[in-house]
Each structure stands twice: as C-alpha cells, then as structure tokens.
Amino acid sequence: DVKVTQSSRYLVKRTGEKVFLECVQDMDHENMFWYRQDPGLGLRLIYFSYDVKMKEKGDIPEGYSVSREKKERFSLILESASTNQTSMYLCASRTPQGGDTQYFGPGTRLTVL
Amino acid sequence: TQLLKQSPQFLSIQEGENLTVYCNSSSVFSSLQWYRQEPGEGPVLLVTVVTGGEVKKLKRLTFQFGDARKDSSLHITAAQTGDTGLYLCAGARPGAGNMLTFGGGTRLMVKP
C-alpha cells in the first residue's frame, strides 16, 4: 500500500521564523512534489524534484526552498515565514512508470502569526 | 491565472439528486485526473482519462474527457451523503513533464 507521510499535521509559527516541512514516501518513487492549497485556488505547485539532489521551481516558488538528499525524503523550507504563507501544504510523489498519478500525504496546516 | 476552471465552486444537494461538475480549459492536456479530498486528508485519485471522448464509470460516478482533451465532467447519479467532499480535477501538461495543473475544486455537500 502506498504511503506518503508528512512530519506535522498542524504547525503554528511566528513571522520571520525558519520553517521545515518534511515529507517521506515509502514507494521508491523518483518524483516528489510540494503544493500549497488555498480555498478556491486548488493546488499550486511550489517545487518538485525528479530525483535525488534534483529540484525544479514550480509555479509559485518565491519564499520557499527545498532539499532532496535522499530519495524517500523531500523537505520544504520557508526561510523567513510570512503571514501570507499560512496555508495547507501537501506533499506528493509519483513514479514515471505509473503514469501521471500522484500520491498525496495528509497535508500540514501551517499558520504563521 | 488558472488554466483549469472548475464549476461550480460549491454545491449543496439532497441525497438522491444528480449532479454534474465541470472542468474547463483552453489548453490541451495529455490526461485528466479527478481526485476526491476529505477534510484533514490529502487528495485521493478517483480516475484518469486519457483519450479524447473517453467515458469512465466508477459505480455512480461517470467521468468524461472532452473530444479535444481540454475539458472534462464528473456526473454523480443518486448522490449519497458519503459523496460529500472536495472534488478536484487536474490536467497533465504535455511538454512540461506532465506536471499537473489543478482546478479550484468543487466542494460538494450531500444532505440526508
């Protein structure tokens, strides 16, 4: 059974703090993704990674960075959190052999005060 | 600018009614996926349609991909309270590594 886990379900941080969101998948998938989800806007791609040590900007990368040191782990970093980064963050993974299907984690609801 | 427009944004119906959700774009997609998301969970794939004009059925749910592969619809027959949730369409962009572009979502509430 496919499994994508995220380190926290809920997180509250203060403006200016550095925030780490961790995602782990156990399916040996090459590709991993970070999205943010806001009401009425659907999911918007922040960053993705085709494989270990690789990263590509998505549609809204400003204010974020990522790290992929191991195949199973993809981290999203908010260098200096701001209130407009309050959102639901979703991690996903896929394998190119599996078509376009992405498998999602449960999400992290981040509030920046 | 959203490449995929989903409508309606909200839908509240009685159990037993039928409904249709639409997903429209001016862009061509190599495939289109429908996901369902429950509160506190990530989206879960319902179906992928690949061929223009394709129709897929999943029990009471019928998915259609437009002939030009730019739009899609989801029809639910005799809705049940268990169908309540957020429905998301996502198109795979050819020439962009088949990255997914998501619609804004349709929040469906089925009342008993």
Side-chain angles (χ1 to χ4, degrees):
Chain A
D1 212 11
V2 298
K3 191 109 181 183
V4 180
T5 55
Q6 294 183 229
S7 51
S8 307
R9 297 296 292 265
Y10 299 94
L11 212 50
V12 180
K13 295 291 181 182
R14 297 212 170 271
T15 301
E17 278 192 77
K18 190 167 186 174
V19 182
F20 293 87
L21 302 182
E22 303 282 337
C23 174
V24 178
Q25 50 97 1
D26 66 358
M27 298 162 283
D28 202 36
H29 283 174
E30 293 85 353
N31 307 158
M32 294 188 75
F33 308 83
W34 273 106
Y35 295 89
R36 62 177 283 175
Q37 181 176 27
D38 301 287
L41 297 179
L43 278 67
R44 292 180 291 165
L45 183 64
I46 304 171
Y47 265 96
F48 61 99
S49 169
Y50 281 118
D51 212 327
V52 182
K53 305 268 189 198
M54 298 172 71
K55 58 186 178 185
E56 299 282 343
K57 292 180 179 178
D59 299 317
I60 51 163
E62 295 78 22
Y64 303 95
S65 62
V66 290
S67 172
R68 184 124 182 246
E69 295 298 315
K70 293 186 177 181
K71 191 174 187 180
E72 67 271 18
R73 190 179 297 269
F74 192 32
S75 303
L76 180 69
I77 303 147
L78 286 66
E79 296 290 343
S80 177
S82 62
T83 54
N84 62 14
Q85 292 179 309
T86 291
S87 186
M88 168 71 92
Y89 289 87
L90 288 161
C91 173
S93 73
R94 78 171 182 192
T95 177
Q97 289 73 38
D100 305 321
T101 303
Q102 295 187 16
Y103 298 89
F104 285 85
T108 295
R109 184 161 293 282
L110 171 68
T111 302
V112 183
L113 302 174
Chain B
T1 306
Q2 239 178 33
L3 288 178
L4 260 180
K5 291 208 79 170
Q6 210 171 318
S7 61
Q9 243 185 308
F10 301 97
L11 198 50
S12 180
I13 60 171
Q14 295 293 137
E15 201 168 26
E17 289 184 20
N18 302 333
L19 67 116
T20 303
V21 177
Y22 299 94
C23 188
N24 294 294
S25 176
S26 56
S27 303
V28 175
F29 297 106
S30 53
S31 70
L32 198 133
Q33 303 177 6
W34 285 92
Y35 289 82
R36 181 162 160 248
Q37 186 177 16
E38 309 242 16
E41 301 295 330
V44 175
L45 181 71
L46 294 173
V47 79
T48 300
V49 284
V50 179
T51 309
E54 183 176 1
V55 177
K56 278 193 175 177
K57 290 195 179 212
L58 198 67
K59 296 182 182 177
R60 294 173 295 99
L61 279 59
T62 301
F63 304 86
Q64 183 158 13
F65 202 11
D67 291 341
R69 305 205 327 270
K70 294 181 181 181
D71 49 71
S72 180
S73 64
L74 156 61
H75 183 79
I76 301 180
T77 304
Q80 299 177 357
T81 54
D83 295 327
T84 292
L86 179 68
Y87 290 82
L88 294 157
C89 64
R93 294 179 278 179
N98 280 347
M99 291 296 124
L100 294 182
T101 293
F102 282 82
T106 294
R107 190 162 294 283
L108 172 65
M109 166 82 76
V110 182
K111 295 178 284 190

Short mmCIF file of all heavy atoms in Angstrom, two decimals, chain B residues 6-22 34 36 46 60-64 72-88 105-111:
data_model
loop_
_atom_site.label_atom_id
_atom_site.label_comp_id
_atom_site.label_asym_id
_atom_site.label_seq_id
_atom_site.Cartn_x
_atom_site.Cartn_y
_atom_site.Cartn_z
N GLN B 6 -12.93 25.19 -12.68
CA GLN B 6 -13.84 24.17 -12.22
C GLN B 6 -15.12 24.85 -11.75
O GLN B 6 -15.09 25.89 -11.08
CB GLN B 6 -13.20 23.42 -11.05
CG GLN B 6 -13.63 21.99 -10.93
CD GLN B 6 -12.84 21.22 -9.90
OE1 GLN B 6 -11.62 21.36 -9.80
NE2 GLN B 6 -13.53 20.40 -9.15
N SER B 7 -16.27 24.25 -12.10
CA SER B 7 -17.54 24.82 -11.66
C SER B 7 -18.54 23.72 -11.38
O SER B 7 -18.50 22.65 -12.00
CB SER B 7 -18.09 25.77 -12.74
OG SER B 7 -18.33 25.06 -13.95
N PRO B 8 -19.46 23.95 -10.44
CA PRO B 8 -19.48 25.11 -9.55
C PRO B 8 -18.44 24.98 -8.44
O PRO B 8 -17.86 23.91 -8.26
CB PRO B 8 -20.90 25.05 -8.97
CG PRO B 8 -21.21 23.60 -8.93
CD PRO B 8 -20.54 23.00 -10.15
N GLN B 9 -18.23 26.08 -7.72
CA GLN B 9 -17.28 26.03 -6.62
C GLN B 9 -17.89 25.31 -5.42
O GLN B 9 -17.20 24.62 -4.68
CB GLN B 9 -16.93 27.46 -6.19
CG GLN B 9 -15.48 27.82 -6.39
CD GLN B 9 -15.15 29.19 -5.85
OE1 GLN B 9 -15.81 30.17 -6.18
NE2 GLN B 9 -14.15 29.27 -5.01
N PHE B 10 -19.20 25.55 -5.22
CA PHE B 10 -19.90 24.93 -4.11
C PHE B 10 -21.19 24.31 -4.61
O PHE B 10 -21.83 24.84 -5.53
CB PHE B 10 -20.25 25.95 -3.01
CG PHE B 10 -19.06 26.65 -2.43
CD1 PHE B 10 -18.69 27.90 -2.90
CD2 PHE B 10 -18.33 26.06 -1.42
CE1 PHE B 10 -17.59 28.55 -2.35
CE2 PHE B 10 -17.22 26.70 -0.88
CZ PHE B 10 -16.85 27.95 -1.35
N LEU B 11 -21.58 23.20 -4.02
CA LEU B 11 -22.81 22.54 -4.41
C LEU B 11 -23.40 21.86 -3.18
O LEU B 11 -22.73 21.05 -2.52
CB LEU B 11 -22.51 21.51 -5.50
CG LEU B 11 -23.63 20.97 -6.35
CD1 LEU B 11 -24.47 22.09 -6.94
CD2 LEU B 11 -23.05 20.11 -7.47
N SER B 12 -24.64 22.20 -2.87
CA SER B 12 -25.32 21.59 -1.74
C SER B 12 -26.61 20.97 -2.25
O SER B 12 -27.46 21.69 -2.79
CB SER B 12 -25.63 22.64 -0.67
OG SER B 12 -26.28 22.04 0.43
N ILE B 13 -26.73 19.66 -2.14
CA ILE B 13 -27.90 18.97 -2.69
C ILE B 13 -28.45 17.98 -1.68
O ILE B 13 -27.80 17.66 -0.68
CB ILE B 13 -27.55 18.23 -4.00
CG1 ILE B 13 -26.46 17.18 -3.73
CG2 ILE B 13 -27.12 19.19 -5.09
CD1 ILE B 13 -26.21 16.27 -4.91
N GLN B 14 -29.65 17.47 -1.98
CA GLN B 14 -30.25 16.45 -1.14
C GLN B 14 -29.81 15.06 -1.63
O GLN B 14 -29.53 14.87 -2.82
CB GLN B 14 -31.78 16.53 -1.20
CG GLN B 14 -32.37 17.80 -0.61
CD GLN B 14 -32.15 17.89 0.89
OE1 GLN B 14 -31.81 18.96 1.40
NE2 GLN B 14 -32.36 16.80 1.60
N GLU B 15 -29.77 14.15 -0.71
CA GLU B 15 -29.48 12.76 -1.05
C GLU B 15 -30.46 12.30 -2.14
O GLU B 15 -31.65 12.61 -2.09
CB GLU B 15 -29.64 11.90 0.20
CG GLU B 15 -28.92 10.58 0.15
CD GLU B 15 -28.87 9.90 1.51
OE1 GLU B 15 -29.75 10.17 2.35
OE2 GLU B 15 -27.94 9.13 1.74
N GLY B 16 -29.92 11.58 -3.13
CA GLY B 16 -30.77 11.05 -4.21
C GLY B 16 -30.75 11.90 -5.46
O GLY B 16 -31.15 11.43 -6.54
N GLU B 17 -30.32 13.14 -5.35
CA GLU B 17 -30.25 14.02 -6.54
C GLU B 17 -29.03 13.69 -7.39
O GLU B 17 -28.08 13.06 -6.93
CB GLU B 17 -30.19 15.49 -6.09
CG GLU B 17 -31.49 16.02 -5.50
CD GLU B 17 -31.42 17.50 -5.15
OE1 GLU B 17 -30.54 18.21 -5.69
OE2 GLU B 17 -32.24 17.95 -4.34
N ASN B 18 -29.11 14.14 -8.64
CA ASN B 18 -27.98 14.00 -9.55
C ASN B 18 -27.23 15.32 -9.63
O ASN B 18 -27.81 16.39 -9.38
CB ASN B 18 -28.46 13.61 -10.96
CG ASN B 18 -29.24 12.32 -10.96
OD1 ASN B 18 -29.04 11.46 -10.11
ND2 ASN B 18 -30.15 12.19 -11.92
N LEU B 19 -25.96 15.26 -10.01
CA LEU B 19 -25.19 16.50 -10.15
C LEU B 19 -24.08 16.31 -11.17
O LEU B 19 -23.65 15.18 -11.44
CB LEU B 19 -24.58 16.91 -8.80
CG LEU B 19 -23.50 15.95 -8.29
CD1 LEU B 19 -22.16 16.64 -8.23
CD2 LEU B 19 -23.89 15.41 -6.92
N THR B 20 -23.64 17.43 -11.72
CA THR B 20 -22.51 17.42 -12.65
C THR B 20 -21.54 18.52 -12.28
O THR B 20 -21.95 19.65 -12.00
CB THR B 20 -22.98 17.62 -14.11
OG1 THR B 20 -23.92 16.59 -14.43
CG2 THR B 20 -21.80 17.51 -15.07
N VAL B 21 -20.27 18.17 -12.28
CA VAL B 21 -19.20 19.13 -12.03
C VAL B 21 -18.39 19.26 -13.32
O VAL B 21 -18.13 18.26 -14.01
CB VAL B 21 -18.28 18.64 -10.89
CG1 VAL B 21 -17.12 19.60 -10.68
CG2 VAL B 21 -19.08 18.49 -9.60
N TYR B 22 -18.02 20.49 -13.65
CA TYR B 22 -17.33 20.75 -14.91
C TYR B 22 -15.92 21.27 -14.67
O TYR B 22 -15.64 21.98 -13.70
CB TYR B 22 -18.11 21.78 -15.73
CG TYR B 22 -19.49 21.33 -16.08
CD1 TYR B 22 -20.58 21.68 -15.28
CD2 TYR B 22 -19.72 20.54 -17.21
CE1 TYR B 22 -21.86 21.24 -15.59
CE2 TYR B 22 -21.00 20.11 -17.52
CZ TYR B 22 -22.06 20.47 -16.71
OH TYR B 22 -23.32 20.03 -17.02
N TRP B 34 -9.27 13.04 -11.85
CA TRP B 34 -10.20 13.54 -10.83
C TRP B 34 -9.78 12.96 -9.48
O TRP B 34 -9.54 11.75 -9.35
CB TRP B 34 -11.64 13.13 -11.15
CG TRP B 34 -12.24 13.92 -12.27
CD1 TRP B 34 -12.23 13.62 -13.60
CD2 TRP B 34 -12.96 15.16 -12.14
NE1 TRP B 34 -12.89 14.60 -14.30
CE2 TRP B 34 -13.35 15.54 -13.44
CE3 TRP B 34 -13.31 15.98 -11.06
CZ2 TRP B 34 -14.07 16.71 -13.70
CZ3 TRP B 34 -14.03 17.13 -11.32
CH2 TRP B 34 -14.41 17.49 -12.61
N ARG B 36 -10.59 13.13 -5.10
CA ARG B 36 -11.53 13.49 -4.04
C ARG B 36 -10.74 13.67 -2.75
O ARG B 36 -9.86 12.86 -2.44
CB ARG B 36 -12.58 12.40 -3.86
CG ARG B 36 -13.59 12.74 -2.80
CD ARG B 36 -14.83 11.88 -2.96
NE ARG B 36 -15.55 11.88 -1.70
CZ ARG B 36 -15.68 10.82 -0.92
NH1 ARG B 36 -15.18 9.67 -1.28
NH2 ARG B 36 -16.33 10.93 0.22
N LEU B 46 -9.44 9.34 -8.11
CA LEU B 46 -10.64 8.58 -8.45
C LEU B 46 -10.48 7.92 -9.82
O LEU B 46 -10.77 6.74 -9.98
CB LEU B 46 -11.86 9.51 -8.50
CG LEU B 46 -12.29 10.14 -7.18
CD1 LEU B 46 -13.41 11.16 -7.43
CD2 LEU B 46 -12.77 9.07 -6.21
N ARG B 60 -21.53 4.95 -9.23
CA ARG B 60 -22.49 6.00 -9.58
C ARG B 60 -21.81 7.24 -10.17
O ARG B 60 -22.48 8.23 -10.46
CB ARG B 60 -23.27 6.41 -8.32
CG ARG B 60 -24.18 5.31 -7.77
CD ARG B 60 -24.80 5.71 -6.43
NE ARG B 60 -23.78 5.85 -5.40
CZ ARG B 60 -23.28 7.01 -5.03
NH1 ARG B 60 -23.71 8.15 -5.56
NH2 ARG B 60 -22.35 7.06 -4.09
N LEU B 61 -20.49 7.19 -10.35
CA LEU B 61 -19.76 8.34 -10.88
C LEU B 61 -19.40 8.07 -12.34
O LEU B 61 -18.89 7.00 -12.67
CB LEU B 61 -18.47 8.56 -10.07
CG LEU B 61 -18.56 9.32 -8.75
CD1 LEU B 61 -19.49 8.65 -7.75
CD2 LEU B 61 -17.19 9.53 -8.15
N THR B 62 -19.66 9.05 -13.19
CA THR B 62 -19.33 8.95 -14.61
C THR B 62 -18.42 10.11 -14.97
O THR B 62 -18.76 11.28 -14.72
CB THR B 62 -20.58 8.99 -15.49
OG1 THR B 62 -21.44 7.91 -15.12
CG2 THR B 62 -20.21 8.85 -16.97
N PHE B 63 -17.28 9.80 -15.54
CA PHE B 63 -16.28 10.80 -15.92
C PHE B 63 -16.18 10.82 -17.43
O PHE B 63 -16.16 9.78 -18.08
CB PHE B 63 -14.91 10.42 -15.33
CG PHE B 63 -14.92 10.24 -13.85
CD1 PHE B 63 -15.27 9.01 -13.30
CD2 PHE B 63 -14.59 11.28 -13.00
CE1 PHE B 63 -15.28 8.81 -11.92
CE2 PHE B 63 -14.60 11.10 -11.62
CZ PHE B 63 -14.95 9.87 -11.09
N GLN B 64 -16.10 12.03 -17.98
CA GLN B 64 -15.95 12.16 -19.43
C GLN B 64 -14.82 13.13 -19.74
O GLN B 64 -14.69 14.18 -19.10
CB GLN B 64 -17.25 12.65 -20.04
CG GLN B 64 -17.20 12.73 -21.56
CD GLN B 64 -18.58 12.69 -22.18
OE1 GLN B 64 -19.59 12.84 -21.50
NE2 GLN B 64 -18.63 12.47 -23.47
N SER B 72 -13.48 18.37 -19.06
CA SER B 72 -13.94 17.11 -18.50
C SER B 72 -15.15 17.38 -17.61
O SER B 72 -15.38 18.51 -17.17
CB SER B 72 -12.83 16.45 -17.69
OG SER B 72 -13.25 15.21 -17.14
N SER B 73 -15.92 16.33 -17.39
CA SER B 73 -17.05 16.45 -16.46
C SER B 73 -17.12 15.22 -15.58
O SER B 73 -16.66 14.14 -15.95
CB SER B 73 -18.36 16.63 -17.24
OG SER B 73 -18.63 15.49 -18.02
N LEU B 74 -17.70 15.45 -14.42
CA LEU B 74 -17.95 14.37 -13.46
C LEU B 74 -19.43 14.41 -13.13
O LEU B 74 -19.94 15.44 -12.69
CB LEU B 74 -17.12 14.60 -12.19
CG LEU B 74 -17.62 13.97 -10.88
CD1 LEU B 74 -17.69 12.46 -10.98
CD2 LEU B 74 -16.72 14.39 -9.72
N HIS B 75 -20.13 13.33 -13.38
CA HIS B 75 -21.56 13.25 -13.09
C HIS B 75 -21.78 12.21 -12.00
O HIS B 75 -21.24 11.10 -12.09
CB HIS B 75 -22.33 12.86 -14.36
CG HIS B 75 -23.81 12.82 -14.16
ND1 HIS B 75 -24.60 13.95 -14.14
CD2 HIS B 75 -24.64 11.76 -13.95
CE1 HIS B 75 -25.86 13.60 -13.94
NE2 HIS B 75 -25.92 12.29 -13.82
N ILE B 76 -22.52 12.60 -10.99
CA ILE B 76 -22.86 11.66 -9.91
C ILE B 76 -24.36 11.42 -9.95
O ILE B 76 -25.16 12.37 -9.93
CB ILE B 76 -22.44 12.19 -8.52
CG1 ILE B 76 -20.94 12.45 -8.48
CG2 ILE B 76 -22.84 11.19 -7.43
CD1 ILE B 76 -20.43 12.98 -7.14
N THR B 77 -24.73 10.17 -10.02
CA THR B 77 -26.14 9.77 -10.04
C THR B 77 -26.58 9.38 -8.63
O THR B 77 -25.84 8.66 -7.94
CB THR B 77 -26.34 8.58 -10.98
OG1 THR B 77 -25.84 8.93 -12.28
CG2 THR B 77 -27.79 8.19 -11.09
N ALA B 78 -27.74 9.85 -8.24
CA ALA B 78 -28.32 9.48 -6.93
C ALA B 78 -27.30 9.67 -5.81
O ALA B 78 -26.89 8.71 -5.16
CB ALA B 78 -28.85 8.05 -6.96
N ALA B 79 -26.91 10.91 -5.61
CA ALA B 79 -25.85 11.22 -4.63
C ALA B 79 -26.20 10.69 -3.25
O ALA B 79 -27.37 10.65 -2.84
CB ALA B 79 -25.62 12.73 -4.58
N GLN B 80 -25.15 10.28 -2.54
CA GLN B 80 -25.29 9.80 -1.16
C GLN B 80 -24.47 10.70 -0.24
O GLN B 80 -23.55 11.39 -0.68
CB GLN B 80 -24.79 8.36 -1.07
CG GLN B 80 -25.56 7.40 -1.95
CD GLN B 80 -25.00 5.99 -1.91
OE1 GLN B 80 -23.98 5.72 -1.27
NE2 GLN B 80 -25.67 5.08 -2.61
N THR B 81 -24.80 10.67 1.06
CA THR B 81 -24.07 11.53 2.00
C THR B 81 -22.58 11.22 2.00
O THR B 81 -21.76 12.11 2.22
CB THR B 81 -24.63 11.36 3.43
OG1 THR B 81 -24.59 9.97 3.78
CG2 THR B 81 -26.07 11.85 3.51
N GLY B 82 -22.23 9.99 1.69
CA GLY B 82 -20.82 9.61 1.62
C GLY B 82 -20.07 10.24 0.46
O GLY B 82 -18.83 10.15 0.40
N ASP B 83 -20.79 10.87 -0.46
CA ASP B 83 -20.14 11.55 -1.59
C ASP B 83 -19.66 12.94 -1.19
O ASP B 83 -18.93 13.58 -1.96
CB ASP B 83 -21.10 11.68 -2.77
CG ASP B 83 -21.50 10.34 -3.35
OD1 ASP B 83 -20.67 9.41 -3.35
OD2 ASP B 83 -22.66 10.22 -3.81
N THR B 84 -20.03 13.40 -0.03
CA THR B 84 -19.61 14.72 0.45
C THR B 84 -18.09 14.82 0.46
O THR B 84 -17.40 13.91 0.89
CB THR B 84 -20.17 14.97 1.86
OG1 THR B 84 -21.59 15.08 1.79
CG2 THR B 84 -19.60 16.25 2.47
N GLY B 85 -17.58 15.95 -0.05
CA GLY B 85 -16.15 16.14 -0.08
C GLY B 85 -15.75 17.20 -1.08
O GLY B 85 -16.61 17.84 -1.70
N LEU B 86 -14.45 17.37 -1.26
CA LEU B 86 -13.92 18.32 -2.23
C LEU B 86 -13.45 17.53 -3.45
O LEU B 86 -12.65 16.60 -3.32
CB LEU B 86 -12.73 19.09 -1.63
CG LEU B 86 -12.05 20.11 -2.54
CD1 LEU B 86 -13.00 21.28 -2.82
CD2 LEU B 86 -10.76 20.62 -1.90
N TYR B 87 -13.97 17.88 -4.61
CA TYR B 87 -13.60 17.20 -5.85
C TYR B 87 -12.68 18.11 -6.65
O TYR B 87 -12.99 19.28 -6.88
CB TYR B 87 -14.84 16.85 -6.67
CG TYR B 87 -15.64 15.75 -6.02
CD1 TYR B 87 -16.53 16.03 -4.98
CD2 TYR B 87 -15.48 14.41 -6.40
CE1 TYR B 87 -17.23 15.02 -4.35
CE2 TYR B 87 -16.19 13.40 -5.78
CZ TYR B 87 -17.06 13.71 -4.75
OH TYR B 87 -17.75 12.71 -4.12
N LEU B 88 -11.55 17.56 -7.06
CA LEU B 88 -10.53 18.32 -7.78
C LEU B 88 -10.25 17.66 -9.11
O LEU B 88 -10.05 16.44 -9.18
CB LEU B 88 -9.22 18.36 -6.98
CG LEU B 88 -9.25 19.10 -5.65
CD1 LEU B 88 -8.14 18.60 -4.74
CD2 LEU B 88 -9.11 20.59 -5.87
N GLY B 105 -11.43 23.35 -7.51
CA GLY B 105 -12.15 22.44 -6.63
C GLY B 105 -13.64 22.73 -6.56
O GLY B 105 -14.07 23.88 -6.72
N THR B 106 -14.41 21.70 -6.33
CA THR B 106 -15.85 21.81 -6.09
C THR B 106 -16.15 21.17 -4.74
O THR B 106 -15.88 19.98 -4.55
CB THR B 106 -16.67 21.08 -7.17
OG1 THR B 106 -16.47 21.73 -8.43
CG2 THR B 106 -18.15 21.07 -6.82
N ARG B 107 -16.67 21.98 -3.84
CA ARG B 107 -17.00 21.44 -2.51
C ARG B 107 -18.44 20.98 -2.54
O ARG B 107 -19.37 21.79 -2.69
CB ARG B 107 -16.79 22.50 -1.44
CG ARG B 107 -16.88 21.93 -0.04
CD ARG B 107 -16.27 22.84 1.02
NE ARG B 107 -14.84 23.01 0.89
CZ ARG B 107 -13.92 22.11 1.25
NH1 ARG B 107 -14.30 20.97 1.78
NH2 ARG B 107 -12.64 22.38 1.12
N LEU B 108 -18.63 19.67 -2.42
CA LEU B 108 -19.97 19.07 -2.51
C LEU B 108 -20.45 18.68 -1.11
O LEU B 108 -19.74 18.03 -0.35
CB LEU B 108 -19.93 17.82 -3.39
CG LEU B 108 -21.20 16.97 -3.42
CD1 LEU B 108 -22.35 17.74 -4.05
CD2 LEU B 108 -20.95 15.66 -4.17
N MET B 109 -21.67 19.10 -0.82
CA MET B 109 -22.32 18.70 0.44
C MET B 109 -23.61 17.98 0.07
O MET B 109 -24.47 18.55 -0.60
CB MET B 109 -22.63 19.94 1.28
CG MET B 109 -23.58 19.69 2.42
SD MET B 109 -22.78 18.99 3.86
CE MET B 109 -21.99 20.44 4.48
N VAL B 110 -23.73 16.73 0.48
CA VAL B 110 -24.96 15.97 0.23
C VAL B 110 -25.67 15.80 1.55
O VAL B 110 -25.16 15.18 2.48
CB VAL B 110 -24.65 14.59 -0.39
CG1 VAL B 110 -25.96 13.85 -0.67
CG2 VAL B 110 -23.83 14.74 -1.66
N LYS B 111 -26.88 16.37 1.63
CA LYS B 111 -27.64 16.36 2.88
C LYS B 111 -28.61 15.20 2.91
O LYS B 111 -29.19 14.85 1.89
CB LYS B 111 -28.39 17.69 3.04
CG LYS B 111 -27.45 18.88 3.19
CD LYS B 111 -28.21 20.18 3.31
CE LYS B 111 -28.72 20.60 1.94
NZ LYS B 111 -29.26 21.98 1.96
#
